[in-house]
Amino acid sequence: MPCYEIDGVRPVVHPTAYVHPDAVLIGDVFVGPGCYVAPLASLRGDFGRIVLEEGSNVQDCCVLHSFPGIDTVVEVNGHVGHAAVLHACRIGRNALIGMNAVVMDRAEVGEGSIVAAAAFVKAEMKIPPGVLVAGVPAKVLRELTEQERKWKVIGTDCYQNLARRSLASLKPCAPLSEGDRERKRFEMPDVMPLSDARRQAG
């Protein structure tokens, strides 16, 4: 992976974490056990510290940055969706940040909460535990349903498993010139959009 030291400070990656070779880690970054960091994620610890706690994931094209003396932290089992931006903020244990969401300076996302896709969490907002937040600027809409809580946990489990799969089998390859469209597909019956999960539940 592109991993850079600055001013004598270099990133720390636990051996059970998976950081994709096309992600970038700079300086004061800690990636904990079982974490997954996807392609094109940028974790820039050149001003302030960035910490991914155990089992958290940061997906494709995410940007994490901070200020001196303020840590950007994704707590245990935190889940950061594609292209989200986290700046000098704290994401609570088992919380989910939706795709393209932005969480600003000194904001705190409470344990088990979900920030909807494309939401803008303004600086210093304190989001309570177990709620759904959406909008620009973000507002608390309601408490999460039990189904939403379960869906989040399943999704994070999927990324923890992806870290293990990637450590075991992901490798560069040349593409095939032809392929059989009938070949075996990945089978993960519990992994689905929330809208599908709602339909299944009736």
Side-chain angles (χ1 to χ4, degrees):
M1 80 199 77
C3 193
Y4 299 93
E5 175 181 322
I6 185 167
D7 296 335
V9 178
R10 65 174 64 183
V12 177
V13 177
H14 192 275
T16 62
Y18 179 80
V19 179
H20 191 276
D22 291 331
V24 179
L25 307 183
I26 299 173
D28 197 4
V29 174
F30 289 83
V31 179
C35 290
Y36 176 83
V37 179
L40 305 182
S42 174
L43 283 66
R44 266 186 53 211
D46 48 12
F47 288 3
R49 178 169 293 175
I50 296 167
V51 179
L52 304 184
E53 294 186 353
E54 182 173 1
S56 60
N57 69 79
V58 172
Q59 297 173 21
D60 319 69
C61 301
C62 289
V63 175
L64 279 66
H65 196 238
S66 199
F67 285 113
I70 307 174
D71 295 353
T72 294
V73 178
V74 180
E75 293 184 8
V76 173
N77 294 337
H79 188 110
V80 184
H82 314 289
V85 177
L86 307 183
H87 203 276
C89 60
R90 177 172 286 268
I91 309 306
R93 176 183 290 257
N94 198 40
L96 182 148
I97 307 303
M99 294 181 273
N100 265 347
V102 176
V103 185
M104 288 298 295
D105 309 320
R106 296 192 189 277
E108 296 178 9
V109 177
E111 180 174 350
S113 285
I114 293 178
V115 174
F120 178 80
V121 177
K122 64 184 181 180
E124 301 190 9
M125 183 176 185
K126 305 295 188 260
I127 296 172
V131 298
L132 175 65
V133 172
V136 179
K139 293 184 170 75
V140 176
L141 298 185
R142 58 174 170 78
E143 289 192 3
L144 293 173
T145 66
E146 191 57 34
Q147 181 188 54
E148 289 165 337
R149 294 172 198 268
K150 288 178 181 175
W151 174 81
K152 188 275 167 196
V153 170
I154 289 168
T156 302
D157 287 346
C158 173
Y159 273 92
Q160 291 167 350
N161 187 46
L162 182 56
R164 293 187 290 270
R165 290 171 60 207
S166 298
L167 285 168
S169 70
L170 190 138
K171 60 187 176 184
C173 69
L176 301 171
S177 58
E178 294 182 21
D180 176 7
R181 289 180 183 258
E182 301 306 313
R183 70 184 178 186
K184 181 180 175 183
R185 295 176 182 260
F186 298 117
E187 293 187 21
M188 301 173 191
D190 290 336
V191 180
M192 66 185 73
L194 180 56
S195 55
D196 288 4
R198 286 179 176 139
R199 270 194 295 275
Q200 277 193 6

